[in-house]
């Protein structure tokens, strides 16, 4: 009789898991549409609210500030309350934020709406990651995480293609208010069909133990080198594409490179399409070769830095189209590379800390994005819209992130090997 190795308590996966997980992913898909909607409306927002580059960047900075600040609280909430309750609250908040943005009469109310949207958005991705760990076997973790990221990029694609056309077809209010209906649809699906876990795989009870327990939970996650390595991988890889797609890509391509809005939109779409393809490739590679995580992450950072430098210092007034195309293809690898951060944090923490560890990791890229969005806006105003100087801030954060990755990689690898040995001791063998 053959024997199959099964981790204790591993969920079964299967079609039911795909259906339930798909509902959670649809919530994240809509959240990303709302999150990135400003990326195609940046120039329109500047005209609508009569603001300069620094004030325009404040929209995205505030949204990401709220998002990043919510990551650890959301991780704790997911560990304590479960996925369904946290996702439900998130949908209500980000739908209200998108609707408020549609009808905002002033810059101040628009800022408040983006903050509300960021708060709801912050509750989605960690919840979807937790849903995946509850419904799929651990060995599927890297691929499931990349597929979740792929769904997010599909949301970005919808924002880039559909919302941009709606915006210039039916106007600001109708476009943003109409898109808010997608939030209502996923809320109904969520309430009717989503379950936190399959039958027979209920988590251990999570009693309320006060603030001291919360602090210990956070501290225990942070002490793990894998959690910190995951944070810095996420920090270093995600932000170049995030900054490009979320706000500054369209102005850079139109104002600095002299492209039409239509052509610039096509290049933004190329970033998203590249992300989707690379996400599938990275997911398959890491699922088969776990040791490929760090080379993929560092290789992505190096390629991104090289292409940014080539674009910014290209001799002549503007970079050639072929170079902009290659830049956008390489930027598309940033999102999948950032997902590798979770593949360092996940095995470093027990199930009861997965939400907290994911929250810590997920802060990385959004803190970097927020910092760069602010730096680019300030430098553009200070230099008279010199995009070469403004986008050079990307290299500073990349250098910081790479230094931390190299510092932590050895400790994280040793700790992961120790956990792997311990898990093999606990492995059970059942008849196939």
């Amino acid at each position: 009789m053959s024997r199959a190795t099964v981790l204790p308590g591993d969920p079964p996966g299967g079609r039911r898991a795909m259906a339930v997980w798909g509902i959670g992913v649809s919530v994240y898909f809509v959240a990303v549409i709302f999150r990135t909607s400003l990326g195609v409306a940046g120039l329109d927002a500047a005209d609508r609210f009569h603001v300069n580059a620094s004030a325009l960047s404040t929209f995205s900075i505030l949204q990401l500030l709220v998002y990043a600040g919510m990551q650890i609280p959301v991780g704790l909430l997911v560990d304590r309350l479960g996925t369904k309750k946290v996702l439900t609250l998130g949908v209500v908040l980000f739908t209200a934020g998108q609707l408020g943005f549609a009808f905002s009469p002033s810059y101040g109310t628009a800022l408040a709406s983006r903050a509300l949207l960021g708060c709801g958005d912050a509750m989605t991705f960690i919840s979807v990651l937790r849903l995946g760990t509850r419904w799929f076997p651990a060995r599927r973790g890297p691929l499931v995480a990349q597929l979740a990221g792929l769904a997010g990029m599909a949301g970005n694609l919808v924002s880039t293609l559909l919302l941009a056309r709606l915006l210039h077809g039916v106007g600001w209010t109708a476009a943003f208010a109409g898109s808010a209906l997608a939030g209502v649809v996923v809320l109904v699906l969520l309430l009717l069909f989503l379950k936190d876990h399959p039958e027979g795989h209920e988590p251990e009870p999570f009693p309320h133990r006060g603030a001291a327990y919360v602090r210990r939970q956070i501290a225990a996650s942070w002490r793990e080198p894998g959690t910190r390595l995951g944070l810095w991988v996420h920090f270093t890889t995600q932000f170049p594409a995030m900054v490009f797609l979320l706000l500054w890509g369209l102005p850079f391509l139109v104002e600095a490179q002299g492209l039409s809005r239509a052509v610039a939109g096509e290049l933004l779409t190329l970033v998203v399409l590249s992300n989707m393809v690379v996400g599938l490739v990275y997911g398959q590679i890491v699922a088969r070769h776990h040791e490929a995580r760090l080379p993929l992450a560092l290789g992505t950072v190096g390629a991104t830095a090289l292409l940014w430098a080539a674009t910014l210092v290209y001799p002549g007034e503007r970079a050639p189209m072929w170079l902009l195309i290659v830049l956008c293809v390489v930027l598309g690898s940033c999102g999948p590379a950032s997902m590798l951060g979770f593949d360092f944090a996940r095995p470093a923490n027990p199930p009861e800390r997965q939400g907290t560890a994911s929250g810590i990791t997920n802060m990385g890229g959004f803190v970097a994005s927020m910092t760069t969005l602010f730096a680019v806006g300030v430098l553009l105003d200070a230099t008279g819209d010199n995009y070469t100087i403004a986008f050079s801030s990307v290299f500073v954060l990349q250098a910081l992130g790479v230094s931390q990755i190299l510092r932590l990689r050895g400790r994280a690898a040793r700790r992961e090997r120790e956990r792997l040995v311990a898990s093999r001791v606990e492995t059970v063998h059942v008849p196939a």
Side-chain angles (χ1 to χ4, degrees), residues 9-21 131-140 144 198 201:
D10 227 10
R15 292 182 179 177
R16 177 79 189 283
M18 285 298 299
V20 174
W21 180 76
L131 197 66
T133 62
R134 290 297 184 192
W135 280 90
F136 292 96
R139 69 182 184 277
R140 298 293 185 191
V144 168
H201 291 269

Side-chain angles (χ1 to χ4, degrees), residues 59-74 93 111-123 363 366 370:
F59 278 124
S60 296
I61 290 168
L62 179 61
Q63 183 179 332
L64 294 185
L65 178 64
V66 173
Y67 187 104
M70 287 288 293
Q71 288 309 292
I72 293 177
V74 168
L93 290 176
L111 275 178
S113 297
R114 295 307 287 187
L116 189 63
L117 193 156
C119 187
D121 183 18
M123 299 181 178
M363 284 180 63
F366 290 93
M370 179 177 58

Side-chain angles (χ1 to χ4, degrees), residues 24-374:
V25 168
S26 69
V27 174
Y28 178 56
F29 169 79
V30 173
V32 174
I33 294 176
F34 293 179
R35 178 201 302 169
T36 58
S37 57
L38 188 61
V40 297
L43 297 176
D44 298 89
D47 293 337
R48 180 180 177 86
F49 300 113
H50 309 292
V51 295
N52 61 13
S54 297
L56 181 60
S57 67
T58 303
F59 278 124
S60 296
I61 290 168
L62 179 61
Q63 183 179 332
L64 294 185
L65 178 64
V66 173
Y67 187 104
M70 287 288 293
Q71 288 309 292
I72 293 177
V74 168
L76 291 165
L77 282 174
V78 171
D79 285 338
R80 175 168 172 74
L81 301 178
T83 300
K84 186 169 185 174
K85 292 180 180 177
V86 177
L87 272 181
T88 299
L89 179 58
V91 174
V92 171
L93 290 176
F94 70 59
T95 302
Q98 185 78 340
L99 196 60
F101 197 58
F103 294 99
S104 293
S106 66
Y107 178 66
T109 55
L111 275 178
S113 297
R114 295 307 287 187
L116 189 63
L117 193 156
C119 187
D121 183 18
M123 299 181 178
T124 58
F125 188 65
I126 294 175
S127 298
V128 172
L129 287 180
R130 173 62 174 264
L131 197 66
T133 62
R134 290 297 184 192
W135 280 90
F136 292 96
R139 69 182 184 277
R140 298 293 185 191
L143 183 57
V144 168
Q146 289 289 353
L147 288 174
L150 183 65
M153 281 299 102
N156 202 328
L157 186 63
V158 169
S159 178
T160 302
L161 295 177
L162 181 59
L163 190 59
R165 292 181 181 179
L166 281 175
L167 188 64
H168 298 118
V170 300
W172 180 281
T173 300
F176 280 98
S179 66
L181 293 175
V184 178
V185 173
V186 294
L187 178 61
V188 172
L189 292 174
L190 169 64
L191 292 174
L192 291 178
F193 301 112
L194 191 133
K195 291 189 64 177
D196 283 348
H197 49 75
E199 290 79 4
H201 291 269
E202 294 79 3
E204 293 293 326
F206 196 102
H208 180 64
R209 302 177 186 177
Y213 179 79
V214 170
R215 287 194 296 270
R216 289 196 298 271
Q217 188 86 336
I218 295 172
S221 293
W222 182 254
R223 280 196 299 268
E224 290 291 345
T227 304
R228 283 175 281 146
L229 179 59
L231 180 146
W232 285 108
V233 167
H234 199 269
F235 177 101
T236 314
T237 53
Q238 187 201 50
F239 79 93
M242 176 70 74
V243 168
F244 198 80
L245 290 171
L246 199 60
L247 184 61
W248 291 122
L250 187 68
F252 169 73
L253 294 171
V254 173
E255 296 177 354
Q257 299 301 318
L259 303 180
S260 67
R261 287 198 184 198
V263 174
E266 290 172 358
L267 287 176
L268 293 180
T269 303
L270 179 61
V271 177
V272 178
L273 292 174
S274 172
N275 189 303
M276 297 171 75
V277 173
V278 175
L280 289 174
V281 174
Y282 278 18
Q284 292 289 347
I285 291 174
V286 175
R288 290 173 168 79
H289 307 284
H290 210 49
E291 67 281 0
R293 293 169 298 172
L294 202 56
L296 285 175
L298 292 175
T300 300
V301 174
T304 304
L306 178 64
L307 266 298
W308 258 125
T311 301
L312 295 177
V313 303
Y314 191 86
E317 188 175 349
R318 297 184 178 96
M321 179 58 71
W322 67 264
L323 182 55
L324 294 176
I325 290 173
V326 176
L327 171 66
C328 289
V329 170
V330 171
L331 284 175
S333 66
C334 291
S338 73
M339 299 300 298
L340 300 173
F342 299 100
D343 292 326
F344 289 103
R346 188 185 303 110
N349 291 272
E352 63 271 16
R353 288 206 309 262
Q354 288 295 318
T356 305
S358 295
I360 293 172
T361 300
N362 208 29
M363 284 180 63
F366 290 93
V367 169
S369 298
M370 179 177 58
T371 304
T372 310
L373 283 166
F374 176 74

Side-chain angles (χ1 to χ4, degrees), residues 365-399:
F366 290 93
V367 169
S369 298
M370 179 177 58
T371 304
T372 310
L373 283 166
F374 176 74
V376 170
V378 169
L379 289 171
L380 284 174
D381 285 340
T383 61
D385 293 338
N386 188 319
Y387 280 91
T388 299
I389 295 175
F391 274 120
S392 295
S393 57
V394 169
F395 305 120
V396 177
L397 272 74
Q398 285 184 319

